Amino acid sequence: VAVKDEADVAGFPTRLGTTFLEDVAAEDALPVARLRRAGAVIVGKTAMAEIGSGTTGYRTGGPTPRNPHDANAWPGGSSSGSAVAVAAGLVPAALAYDGGGSIRIPAALCGVVGLKPTFGRVPSPNLHDPSTGVVGPIGADAYATAAMYLALAGPASPEETAGAGHPLYYPEQPPPHAAGLRDTRDLSDV
């Protein structure tokens, strides 16, 4: 799988699409660690709109990823590189972040499947965007997207969040307005 440049991957810089951030990650971000535990092979980090700003996918700090279906069309952003990598067939799925359309827009423009999970469903000690950003998958099809989502979702254990710097939210019970809806944490009958 590929990983958006917003997530830490041990041994690689996390630049957030900029030309000036150079911090090399000492360890994997929680979603990346979960993917590795599930057997995923991280093949690289993907381009993104600078600091997650922008819905077209345009990059000021480097080349803009090309929409594989039409080189003259925008790929969408800010998870442009993740959607392009999947749509071009380079990887079956990619990790992305969404705070205002950054998974959904590039997935739609590149013809792949993106899922923005409910806030807190995929815990992430994302210090870059802790209040609105969520982690989710972009896949070549619904199956690849669901497989990645199942590896990512679930409450964080104390071991996973040690040193995260802020509490992670994962609802144990559905909110009152969702009473009567089927519990989707058990997908064995799907």
Side-chain angles (χ1 to χ4, degrees):
V1 300
V3 176
K4 183 178 179 179
D5 191 28
E6 192 168 344
D8 287 344
V9 175
F12 291 89
T14 300
R15 293 188 174 106
L16 295 163
T18 70
T19 57
F20 56 87
L21 294 174
E22 295 290 332
D23 294 337
V24 174
E27 60 186 34
D28 289 335
L30 176 55
V32 175
R34 283 185 170 187
L35 290 173
R36 285 193 202 270
R37 279 197 304 273
V41 175
I42 309 301
V43 299
K45 295 187 80 172
T46 61
M48 63 177 282
E50 190 172 31
I51 310 180
S53 60
T55 58
T56 64
Y58 175 75
R59 293 187 63 221
T60 56
T64 298
R66 297 282 187 162
N67 187 316
H69 301 294
D70 181 350
N72 295 312
W74 292 111
S78 70
S79 300
S80 52
S82 292
V84 166
V86 172
L90 301 175
V91 291
L95 188 68
Y97 283 73
D98 191 318
S102 294
I103 290 174
R104 297 158 289 157
I105 294 169
L109 293 180
C110 290
V112 293
V113 179
L115 174 67
K116 179 189 179 191
T118 301
F119 185 80
R121 186 61 68 177
V122 178
S124 174
N126 180 1
L127 302 179
H128 311 298
D129 187 12
S131 63
T132 61
V134 299
V135 182
I138 294 177
D141 54 28
Y143 179 81
T145 304
M148 184 180 233
Y149 175 68
L150 289 173
L152 293 168
S157 69
E159 295 80 25
E160 288 179 315
T161 59
H166 63 275
L168 300 171
Y169 172 73
Y170 184 84
E172 289 300 321
Q173 297 294 323
H177 64 272
L181 294 177
R182 187 172 78 105
D183 185 349
T184 57
R185 287 179 274 188
D186 178 10
L187 298 175
S188 60
D189 64 337
V190 174

